[in-house]
Amino acid sequence: MNNATGQKLGRIAATLGVTDIDRSHQVFNAVFGFEKVFENGDPVGFMILKKDDAELHLSLQKGYRAPAFNQAHMLVGDADAALRACERHGLRIIRHIQDKDYGLRAFVFADPDGNRIDVGQII
């Protein structure tokens, strides 16, 4: 299929709605090591988190309710270690870890606002 605009595409980053942006930053930092690299607003209403090649955007939304589908997919080097970190920090596991027929060892967790993140390790 041809690219309709003829442009080379660069990064695309997931944006998660959150009700407490500092809490979300703390959780993603504690579990995965994401660091804040940008914030905007007073009070802060938007934040960019980075870890290695991964980038995650947080958007403060009063009364936010997460949808019932996965909002982001993240590749990790060790899915079992990522699962243990999620469990240690009390995150809800939506789908337990298993080897998938498409070549990933994967699980799904929900952040404190209920945003579902699919985590996979290439096997």
Side-chain angles (χ1 to χ4, degrees):
M1 179 180 291
N2 288 334
N3 178 335
T5 65
Q7 297 183 63
K8 180 180 181 206
L9 300 179
R11 130 188 109 68
I12 185 170
T15 299
L16 300 179
V18 298
T19 58
D20 183 331
I21 205 161
D22 291 322
R23 174 187 66 187
S24 294
H25 170 229
Q26 290 171 5
V27 166
F28 281 103
N29 176 264
V31 176
F32 295 103
F34 277 96
E35 297 288 339
K36 175 175 50 176
V37 296
F38 178 81
E39 64 181 29
N40 190 23
D42 186 16
V44 175
F46 178 77
M47 186 180 291
I48 297 176
L49 306 179
K50 285 192 80 156
K51 168 75 165 101
D52 302 322
D53 292 332
E55 189 170 306
L56 182 62
H57 297 187
L58 305 177
S59 178
L60 184 63
Q61 303 292 315
K62 291 184 180 180
Y64 176 74
R65 293 181 56 118
F69 57 84
N70 295 350
Q71 292 175 266
H73 181 263
M74 180 171 41
L75 288 177
V76 297
D78 185 338
D80 291 285
L83 174 63
R84 287 190 301 273
C86 287
E87 291 172 334
R88 268 194 317 276
H89 288 89
L91 297 176
R92 185 168 55 108
I93 305 304
I94 305 294
R95 289 203 182 108
H96 290 280
I97 198 162
Q98 59 183 225
D99 293 344
K100 304 291 189 174
D101 59 1
Y102 45 83
L104 292 179
R105 181 159 178 76
F107 70 96
V108 177
F109 76 92
D111 75 0
D113 286 290
N115 295 305
R116 295 175 180 214
I117 312 291
D118 183 14
V119 178
Q121 171 190 348
I122 297 172
I123 51 175

